[in-house]
Amino acid sequence: MKVQLKVDDRFKVPAELVAVGVYENENGTDREHMPEAYQTLLSDAMARGEFEGKLLQTLTALPVPGVLTRRVVFIGLGKQSELTANVVRKVFGQLAQISEKMKVQSVAAALPQGSFSEKDAALAATEGWVLGSWKFAGYHQEPVDRHVADLYLTNIGHVESAQEGVDVGLVVANAQNYTRDLGFRPSNKLYPELLAEEAVDAGRRHGFSVEVFDEMRLKELGMEALLGVGQGSVYPPRLVLMRYDAHADKTLALVGKGITFDSGGISLKPSAGMEEMKYDMLGAAAVLGAMCAIAETKPSVNVIGLMAIAQNMPSGSAYKPGDVVRAFNGKTIEITNTDAEGRVALSDAVSYAAHLRPNWIVETSTLTGAVLVVLGHEATGLVADDDKLAEQVIEAGDRVGERIWRLPIYPEYKELYKSKVADIKNSPGRDAGTITGGMIIREFAGGIPFAHLDIAGTAWTKEGPLNAVDGATGVMVRTFVELAHMLA
């Protein structure tokens, strides 16, 4: 797959498919250089109500000898007043999927112009194209044929600036696809040791350091919480510490939940849909993907990445309801539900991050089903104890098209997870479940500005413009990369 810039008009580029963006009700649609036959076809279709230019709506014109000489797809841009870089990202994601279905080798499309720079448009278009083109290779006996076209971005005014956008877009989107790839892998192909090895390999490829804490090191450090979550599995847990050193004064710590399979443990989940629990490591995978892109794009801020990795399984050695474990920072946790394991595993990772004294800690996890009830698949839930950091995280998400919604922290919620036998209990019940889950993890941040992002509703979802198949989305990779550059 190539993404190339052209100053020429899209109809002058020798691509098999030409894409033409059309605003809703054709207001502001650029018909310059469009052959008359295609203009007539578009006008007729709009007059009949067959095509209106609504966002992601499509109309295809196939070659007709002597009349229409090229394959053309008209794709709706929605209302011109609502055009954003994220709309550009979605449009090019949809266009990538159309090109695969049509089996074309190359596509030419002009960058839509809006209240954003040409660089940002090129970045968003590239991300959309790469994300929309991706599918998991799978484990089929015969390899699945994947058809990925080259993209020509045409009518470019400032090539050097647009090329910067393309270059960054390729790095970030490929990092996000790497996260998606990890999410799709089944747990027998990606248990804790193998995910830790992935981090080591990624560090070599992209230029960041990686240290893996095995079960012996975890015992030495007193990380009973992470060890407890993983002690029912034949695959012992791992804590992975990654570092990108910009020799800067400020440090951002990113922490992710890496439960490579979550059966619920002794508090066993229902069997229906349990295969999706291979995705319960997508918080850690998002941190890993972000570290790859951060090391390539080089923001002027130090970044620490931590992955708390375990398999939560029922067995004779599994941790049980009623057990008490002690985290790295000394706080004790009463286990009232072994299926609320994410916050337990993260207690060691977050408290270790606090021990390293960063300026900010941002943690992400597929933590609660409750966040789906509140926000569905449309937004990530945010629990934060620092207003400025919360605003920065939300802004980073807005800039890259990942919605984040902040939930309140009230003193009364803290009463819900008090324990009679330990400092806190891991599962205070259904009330305010997403909020209390984030607040429990916050207990281990050592007073450092902290933000928790619950991606249980956004980490895997249905087919869409940036997601050619149901499954892992790689959410938070783009937000984390943008946040690092903002904090720099």
Side-chain angles (χ1 to χ4, degrees):
M1 178 203 300
K2 298 176 184 176
V3 178
Q4 299 183 45
L5 300 177
K6 298 288 183 181
V7 296
D8 296 330
D9 178 75
R10 61 204 154 199
F11 282 94
K12 294 181 180 178
V13 174
E16 287 186 36
L17 178 67
V18 177
V20 178
V22 181
Y23 292 107
E24 192 167 341
N25 300 320
E26 213 194 2
N27 294 326
T29 295
D30 179 15
R31 290 184 173 226
E32 188 178 1
H33 304 300
M34 191 191 303
E36 186 176 347
Y38 297 103
Q39 294 195 38
T40 301
L41 186 150
L42 176 61
S43 296
D44 290 348
M46 297 190 85
R48 292 192 303 269
E50 180 183 348
F51 181 77
E52 299 170 275
K54 290 183 177 179
L55 184 59
L56 304 182
Q57 186 182 23
T58 58
L59 173 70
T60 303
L62 298 176
V64 178
V67 185
L68 306 178
T69 59
R70 303 277 292 280
R71 290 200 230 184
V72 172
V73 60
F74 298 101
I75 186 163
L77 301 177
K79 295 178 181 177
Q80 189 173 15
S81 61
E82 297 176 1
L83 183 69
T84 63
N86 193 44
V87 169
V88 174
R89 188 180 290 106
K90 288 182 178 179
V91 166
F92 277 82
Q94 180 94 327
L95 186 57
Q97 293 172 30
I98 291 168
S99 71
E100 183 187 0
K101 291 174 183 175
M102 295 180 71
K103 304 299 181 187
V104 295
Q105 300 294 327
S106 54
V107 179
L111 281 177
Q113 297 180 359
S115 60
F116 39 82
S117 67
E118 194 170 44
K119 175 183 175 181
D120 287 343
L123 190 156
T126 302
E127 286 181 345
W129 184 262
V130 175
L131 294 171
S133 299
W134 183 86
K135 283 185 181 177
F136 183 58
Y139 300 93
H140 308 282
Q141 184 177 15
E142 298 294 332
V144 176
D145 182 32
R146 288 286 292 117
H147 186 89
V148 181
D150 293 333
L151 174 64
Y152 295 102
L153 294 175
T154 68
N155 306 77
I156 300 298
H158 301 89
V159 174
E160 186 175 338
S161 176
Q163 188 63 55
E164 289 180 21
V166 169
D167 292 343
V168 173
L170 287 170
V171 168
V172 176
N174 282 320
Q176 185 170 341
N177 282 344
Y178 175 50
T179 291
R180 295 164 79 186
D181 182 88
L182 293 173
F184 269 93
R185 297 187 202 179
S187 62
N188 63 328
K189 306 291 185 185
L190 195 72
Y191 44 84
E193 183 180 357
L194 293 184
L195 182 51
E197 288 176 3
E198 281 286 338
V200 173
D201 291 342
R204 292 194 191 106
R205 291 195 308 271
H206 298 279
F208 57 89
S209 66
V210 181
E211 186 178 1
V212 177
F213 298 177
D214 64 12
E215 64 270 35
M216 298 306 296
R217 181 75 186 281
L218 297 178
K219 288 177 183 176
E220 291 172 5
L221 292 170
M223 293 187 174
E224 289 184 5
L226 180 56
L227 285 166
V229 171
Q231 72 188 34
S233 172
V234 295
Y235 301 112
R238 295 287 186 268
L239 183 73
V240 176
L241 172 63
M242 302 169 282
R243 293 178 186 266
Y244 160 75
D245 189 359
H247 307 289
D249 296 331
K250 303 289 186 179
T251 299
L252 166 66
L254 301 173
V255 185
K257 171 187 172 184
I259 304 301
T260 57
F261 189 79
D262 181 19
S263 69
I266 297 297
S267 306
L268 193 66
K269 291 179 180 291
S271 59
M274 196 192 285
E275 70 278 2
E276 291 184 344
M277 289 302 101
K278 67 179 183 178
Y279 293 135
D280 212 19
M281 38 62 71
L282 279 167
V287 171
L288 177 53
M291 291 298 297
C292 294
I294 287 167
E296 295 281 353
T297 56
K298 295 180 169 50
S300 299
V301 63
N302 306 319
V303 183
I304 296 167
L306 280 154
M307 300 195 296
I309 311 174
Q311 258 190 6
N312 185 23
M313 298 293 288
S315 74
S317 61
Y319 80 139
K320 309 171 294 300
D323 286 358
V324 174
V325 295
R326 187 181 301 274
F328 172 74
N329 69 347
K331 280 185 183 288
T332 55
I333 308 167
E334 179 191 9
I335 307 303
T336 55
N337 182 346
T338 64
D339 194 25
E341 84 298 327
R343 62 205 67 182
V344 181
L346 286 163
S347 66
D348 278 331
V350 170
S351 57
Y352 194 80
H355 158 75
L356 299 174
R357 305 310 301 170
N359 301 89
W360 312 274
I361 299 175
V362 181
E363 169 271 321
T364 189
S365 48
T366 49
L367 200 73
T368 67
V371 78
L372 276 155
V373 177
V374 178
L375 299 172
H377 293 283
E378 307 310 318
T380 292
L382 169 65
V383 175
D385 61 6
D386 183 271
D387 290 342
K388 185 175 181 181
L389 177 59
E391 290 167 5
Q392 290 168 321
V393 170
I394 292 169
E395 182 182 351
D398 285 344
R399 287 186 184 185
V400 301
E402 294 185 334
R403 290 193 188 108
I404 297 168
W405 191 264
R406 189 180 184 185
L407 300 168
I409 295 179
Y410 299 136
E412 290 82 0
Y413 293 139
K414 191 168 183 176
E415 298 297 314
L416 297 176
Y417 55 84
K418 282 187 174 179
S419 167
K420 295 180 180 178
V421 299
D423 294 316
I424 58 177
K425 57 184 175 183
N426 78 319
S427 182
R430 295 173 60 87
D431 291 355
T434 298
I435 295 170
T436 57
M439 289 179 68
I440 288 169
I441 299 169
R442 167 184 172 244
E443 294 282 341
F444 300 88
I448 294 168
F450 171 79
H452 157 74
L453 291 156
D454 192 335
I455 57 173
T458 52
W460 69 92
T461 187
K462 302 297 182 184
E463 182 178 343
L466 305 182
N467 213 30
V469 292
D470 297 354
T473 64
V475 72
M476 288 300 115
V477 171
R478 300 200 306 271
T479 293
F480 285 162
V481 176
E482 184 67 23
L483 179 63
H485 283 272
M486 284 173 58
L487 293 175

